[in-house]
Amino acid sequence: MFASTCLSGRVVLDLGQLHPGPQAAFTLGQLGATVIKVERPDGGDAARALGAETFAKYNRGKLSIALDLKRAEDRELLLALASRSHALVENFRPGVMERLGLGYARLSAANPALVMCSISGYGQDGPYAARPGHDMNFLAGAGYWAVPSQIDDVVARPRVRLSDYCGSMYAALALVVAMMTARESGRGEHLDLSLQDAMTAWTAPGIDALRHTGTDVEGLDHVMPDNDVFRTADGRHLVLGILEDKFWLALSDVLAPLCPGLDAAEYRTRRGRLANKRELSSRLKALIASRTLAQWAALLDPELIPWTPVPQPHEWLDDAHVRARGMVQRHPDGGLDLRFPVRFSGHWAPASGTAPALDQHRAGILAWLAGGAMPSKEESSCS
């Protein structure tokens, strides 16, 4: 954690489950806030059932208390926690907090300066608000697959939980702004974050552009023959990130001796390559498929060309640049410890701590409510 930031001394209640809520709260913890994870007594966050490493990813450095929010005395305890906290993050279905008697109006009555962030798939209102869903449902709803991205385009599952990560990021940003505003005004607010809305902020410009171009890849300038993923002879893949003409000219100098015609005049400009995209794509795919990834590395590495091999997991973890940046560390508990991905010039955040055992900090949190000091995050340990 940072030694001191504008979030130091700020307390965030994390009622989230699995990914987006806990990730947003974890981000605030990385930036200096104290995060109290409020979990069910019967097993806690559902992520615990997926394994200790899965739970630890988004819960390192948090304090844990177990509350059964269906019990009146535990609801009163949550209200007491809210009265001394600065933010509350939840990702229940819309309406659940109200039915528990813990909606924004009730929480705000306990603490007018509290910021409540409700993360849901489709938002707190609208015709889809009550629908169940997970990451890929929200991607589809946001039009993620509506815009073609490759010449031979396919609809395939993304390799990461894009809408969850996207929504968590926007939630953390909005929470910081709302908490700092509340510090000045004394008034909190209710943040309604829809994971589909968050992804829509990324997808809408591309979808809107299709009004003018249609969906035929021939007319889409962002679908390029030389900016794509290519399969090599040994079943590996590499990425070419050719945009500027200077990079194509450098690439064609290397490739033309292997495939006569790649240095043709019609390919020398971006417009020319787009006008001949299918032909050029076929040539590049056939050529790259004729050699192994190691052979391409030997040819391309010495040149100033934006190319990247697609690594295997063990290769990525051992990559010299990944190691040098220090973003990914191995925690003593065996799991990954991901640092906050922005470096601040004044200080660099150390390890995020360990994940808490269920209800580990109950005594310390209750003592804090009674006027004592907040338990230390460094005392956490994952059982």
Side-chain angles (χ1 to χ4, degrees):
M1 310 305 166
F2 290 108
S4 180
T5 73
C6 64
L7 293 182
S8 298
R10 304 286 98 177
V11 178
V12 178
L13 301 178
D14 172 17
L15 277 65
Q17 296 273 320
L18 294 173
H19 188 140
Q23 165 93 13
F26 174 69
T27 300
L28 298 184
Q30 286 186 304
L31 294 173
T34 296
V35 181
I36 298 176
K37 189 164 186 67
V38 180
E39 304 185 73
R40 304 188 321 268
D42 58 338
D45 184 337
R48 289 186 183 274
L50 302 178
E53 288 192 17
T54 297
F55 175 75
K57 279 193 300 185
Y58 308 122
N59 293 288
R60 295 192 185 280
K62 296 180 183 180
L63 310 174
S64 174
I65 186 170
L67 299 179
D68 182 354
L69 298 181
K70 295 180 180 180
R71 299 174 68 239
E73 53 266 47
D74 281 5
R75 290 196 296 272
E76 288 301 316
L77 185 50
L78 181 71
L79 289 170
L81 288 170
S83 72
R84 294 205 60 191
S85 300
H86 303 88
L88 181 150
V89 181
E90 60 93 5
N91 57 250
F92 296 117
R93 292 258 197 104
V96 169
M97 290 292 282
E98 288 285 352
R99 290 195 293 275
L100 290 169
L102 297 169
Y104 177 64
R106 183 69 185 89
L107 291 166
S108 183
N111 180 0
L114 183 75
V115 175
M116 178 179 181
C117 181
S118 295
I119 301 174
S120 63
Y122 300 104
Q124 298 300 300
D125 56 25
Y128 300 161
R131 281 188 179 182
H134 286 296
D135 181 75
M136 289 200 297
N137 302 111
F138 315 137
L139 287 177
Y144 174 78
W145 287 288
V147 182
S149 63
Q150 296 177 290
I151 292 174
D152 298 314
D153 205 45
V154 294
V155 174
R157 179 175 183 152
R159 303 304 176 98
V160 297
R161 301 175 64 86
L162 282 176
S163 60
D164 283 348
Y165 281 113
C166 175
S168 299
M169 184 176 69
Y170 278 114
L173 176 62
L175 277 159
V176 170
V177 171
M179 291 167 70
M180 295 302 99
T181 302
R183 174 182 284 180
E184 296 179 0
S185 68
R187 297 298 307 177
E189 57 186 306
H190 187 192
L191 307 176
D192 171 8
L193 189 138
S194 155
L195 297 175
Q196 178 167 306
D197 286 353
M199 274 306 303
T200 297
W202 290 2
T203 59
I207 295 172
D208 184 63
L210 297 179
R211 293 185 301 112
H212 308 292
T213 62
T215 59
D216 187 340
V217 297
E218 294 288 356
L220 299 177
D221 286 356
H222 74 274
V223 179
M224 307 174 199
D226 46 354
N227 190 282
D228 208 342
V229 182
F230 298 87
R231 185 180 178 89
T232 62
D234 51 347
R236 299 291 301 274
H237 293 82
L238 63 83
V239 172
L240 292 178
I242 308 298
L243 289 174
E244 299 90 337
D245 290 339
K246 64 180 181 180
F247 289 131
W248 170 258
L249 295 176
L251 179 66
S252 64
D253 284 345
V254 175
L255 299 185
L258 309 175
C259 181
L262 281 182
D263 55 356
E266 59 264 31
Y267 297 152
R268 295 180 66 82
T269 66
R270 161 66 42 211
R271 186 53 52 194
R273 293 192 295 280
L274 288 174
N276 296 276
K277 64 174 62 176
R278 290 191 183 276
E279 172 189 286
L280 180 54
S281 174
S282 295
R283 282 188 165 194
L284 287 173
K285 287 178 179 178
L287 174 59
I288 292 171
S290 69
R291 285 168 171 76
T292 67
L293 184 62
Q295 289 173 314
W296 285 120
L299 282 169
L300 298 175
D301 270 345
E303 309 298 331
L304 191 62
I305 295 169
W307 91 282
T308 311
V310 176
Q312 300 290 351
H314 68 279
E315 294 170 334
W316 178 80
L317 288 168
D318 290 334
D319 181 82
H321 188 75
V322 172
R323 295 170 69 89
R325 292 292 294 176
M327 168 62 193
V328 180
Q329 300 289 322
R330 182 64 64 188
H331 195 275
D333 66 15
L336 286 184
D337 185 5
L338 299 178
R339 306 297 177 86
F340 188 74
V342 179
R343 289 191 179 186
F344 291 70
S345 62
H347 39 219
W348 174 236
S352 301
T354 52
L358 179 61
D359 207 32
Q360 178 181 339
H361 302 94
R362 169 176 287 273
I365 292 170
L366 294 180
W368 170 67
L369 282 179
M374 175 68 72
S376 169
K377 292 181 280 188
E378 284 67 36
E379 295 172 2
S380 299
S381 65
C382 189
S383 62

